[in-house]
C-alpha cells in the first residue's frame, strides 16, 4: 500500500457520502482512506460509522481549520504518499493509480495536482494546479476553460491545489507540514512555495480526474469569511517565503496587485473586509507565531530563489495575457 487519501470534513455530509462512494469504486483498492472531521454537527460522523465502517476517522472537537485538520491526517499516515481530497469531489475509478504513477515519474517531485472539473459544468475545468505571480496573486490554472482543449498534457505548476493532489510524506516532513497560521486558503500555495525553495517540483497530471462542486452549489464564491482570510494570508504568504531583497524587488508589482484587488473588492462591496484582512496579515506577519514560521534564507538555496523569481514574472505574463 503506497497511499492514504486524507479528506478534511466539516459539515459536508451530503458531498462526503458521494466522495467516499466514488473512492470505493477506484481500482485497484490498495489505498487507505482517512477522514479528519472538524467537529461536524450535521451527522457526518454518524453517516460514516453506519455506511463506511472500514474508513479510518480522526475526530476533532471543533473546527480547527483546513490546515490543522490536514496536518492531523498527515501525521497519522504510514504510507509514502498522501492524497489530499476535498469532501465535495467525486473521483474517476483510476484517480489514485494515476496520481501514484505521476509522482513516481521523477524523484524530485513533491506534489502532483489532479485535473479538477466543474461538477455543475463538466465541460469546463475547475483547475489544473495553482500558479502564483509577482502581483501577489494565486490563481487556479485553466479555470473555466474547455476540458477537451486545455491542459490536456502533463506539466509543471507553481503549486498543487490541495483540493485534489498527491504529496510525498518524506519531503513534507523535511520542509514542514501545512502552516496552521493560515487556518484556510493559500496554505497549499504556501507549502508548494516552500517545496520550491528546497529545490523540489510541483506537477500537474491531466489523467487523474475528479469532479469538484466548489462554490457552485453554495453560491459563496465571494463572502466575508473567505475574502478576509484570503486577504490576510496573501500578505503572510509573501512575508514568510520571500527574503527581504526579493520583497523589495517585487514591491512595485505587489503594490499594483494589491491596489487592483482593493478596487475590485470595493466594486463587489467588500472593500472594507479586504483591507481589514490586509491589516490582519501584517499583524500576523510581525507576531511571534508569524515570525516563527518565516522561511530562513540560506545561500545554498539561492539558485532556487532565482528560479522562483523567474516563475513569478513568467506567471505574471500568463495572468495578464489570459
Amino acid at each position: 500500500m503506497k497511499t492514504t487519501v486524507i479528506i478534511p470534513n466539516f459539515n459536508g455530509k451530503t458531498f462526503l457520502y458521494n466522495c467516499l462512494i466514488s473512492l470505493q469504486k477506484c481500482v485497484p483498492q490498495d489505498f487507505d482512506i482517512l477522514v479528519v472531521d472538524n467537529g461536524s454537527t450535521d451527522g457526518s460522523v454518524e453517516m460514516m460509522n453506519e455506511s463506511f465502517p472500514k474508513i479510518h476517522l480522526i475526530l476533532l472537537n471543533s473546527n480547527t481549520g483546513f490546515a490543522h485538520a490536514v496536518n492531523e491526517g498527515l501525521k497519522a499516515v504510514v504510507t509514502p504518499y498522501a492524497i489530499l481530497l476535498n469532501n465535495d469531489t467525486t473521483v474517476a475509478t483510476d484517480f489514485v493509480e494515476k496520481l501514484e504513477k505521476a509522482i513516481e515519474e521523477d524523484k524530485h517531485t513533491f506534489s502532483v495536482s489532479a485535473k479538477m472539473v466543474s461538477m455543475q459544468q463538466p465541460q469546463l475545468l475547475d483547475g489544473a494546479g495553482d500558479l502564483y505571480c509577482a502581483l501577489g496573486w494565486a490563481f487556479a490554472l485553466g479555470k473555466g476553460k474547455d476540458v477537451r482543449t486545455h491542459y490536456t498534457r502533463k506539466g509543471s505548476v507553481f503549486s498543487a491545489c490541495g483540493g485534489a493532489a498527491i504529496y510525498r510524506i518524506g519531503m513534507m516532513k523535511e520542509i514542514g507540514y501545512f502552516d496552521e497560521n493560515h487556518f484556510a486558503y493559500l496554505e497549499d500555495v504556501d507549502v508548494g512555495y516552500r517545496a520550491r525553495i528546497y529545490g523540489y517540483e510541483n506537477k500537474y497530471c491531466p489523467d487523474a480526474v475528479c469532479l469538484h462542486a466548489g462554490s457552485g452549489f453554495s453560491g459563496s464564491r465571494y463572502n466575508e469569511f473567505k475574502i478576509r482570510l484570503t486577504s490576510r494570508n496573501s500578505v503572510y504568504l509573501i512575508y514568510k517565503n520571500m527574503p527581504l531583497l526579493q520583497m523589495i524587488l517585487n514591491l512595485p508589482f505587489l503594490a499594483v496587485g494589491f491596489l487592483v484587488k482593493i478596487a475590485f473588492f470595493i466594486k463587489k462591496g467588500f472593500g472594507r473586509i479586504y483591507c481589514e484582512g490586509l491589516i490582519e496579515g501584517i499583524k500576523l506577519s510581525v507576531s511571534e507565531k508569524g515570525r516563527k514560521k518565516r522561511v530562513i534564507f540560506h545561500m545554498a538555496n539561492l539558485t532556487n530563489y532565482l528560479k522562483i523569481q523567474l516563475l513569478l514574472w513568467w506567471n505574471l505574463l500568463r495572468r495578464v495575457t489570459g
Side-chain angles (χ1 to χ4, degrees), residues 16-153:
L16 180 61
Y17 180 86
N18 293 328
C19 179
L20 293 174
I21 287 293
S22 71
L23 282 169
Q24 287 190 336
K25 294 178 180 178
C26 283
V27 289
Q29 276 283 313
D30 58 350
F31 57 90
D32 253 339
I33 302 174
L34 171 61
V35 177
V36 184
D37 189 83
N38 251 331
S40 293
T41 57
D42 66 342
S44 291
V45 175
E46 292 79 4
M47 178 273 291
M48 286 185 283
N49 285 331
E50 180 179 344
S51 301
F52 306 96
K54 294 183 179 181
I55 288 175
H56 301 292
L57 289 174
I58 294 178
L59 304 180
L60 305 178
N61 293 326
S62 61
N63 185 6
T64 58
F66 179 87
H68 178 259
V70 166
N71 284 346
E72 290 298 301
L74 289 170
K75 292 172 184 177
V77 166
V78 295
T79 53
Y81 310 128
I83 291 176
L84 300 189
L85 191 63
N86 278 2
N87 61 1
D88 60 346
T89 58
T90 57
V91 303
T93 55
D94 58 356
F95 177 80
V96 174
E97 180 184 27
K98 293 296 186 183
L99 282 179
E100 287 177 345
K101 288 183 177 179
I103 202 168
E104 289 177 340
E105 288 179 357
D106 186 344
K107 65 181 181 180
H108 296 105
T109 300
F110 167 66
S111 68
V112 179
S113 196
K115 182 177 187 177
M116 302 181 77
V117 177
S118 169
M119 193 173 287
Q120 298 78 44
Q121 298 176 286
Q123 74 278 15
L124 301 180
L125 277 170
D126 189 64
D130 290 335
L131 295 187
Y132 184 67
C133 72
L135 294 171
W137 297 354
F139 53 98
L141 189 62
K143 190 174 181 67
K145 302 292 186 180
D146 192 322
V147 296
R148 298 166 298 179
T149 56
H150 289 77
Y151 303 103
T152 58
R153 297 181 180 180

Side-chain angles (χ1 to χ4, degrees), residues 3 16 31 47 75 110 112 138 164 178 219 222 253-254 276 289 318:
T3 302
L16 180 61
F31 57 90
M47 178 273 291
K75 292 172 184 177
F110 167 66
V112 179
F178 284 73
Y222 301 115
F253 302 102
L254 294 172
E276 288 175 355
K289 68 178 183 178
R318 296 177 71 176

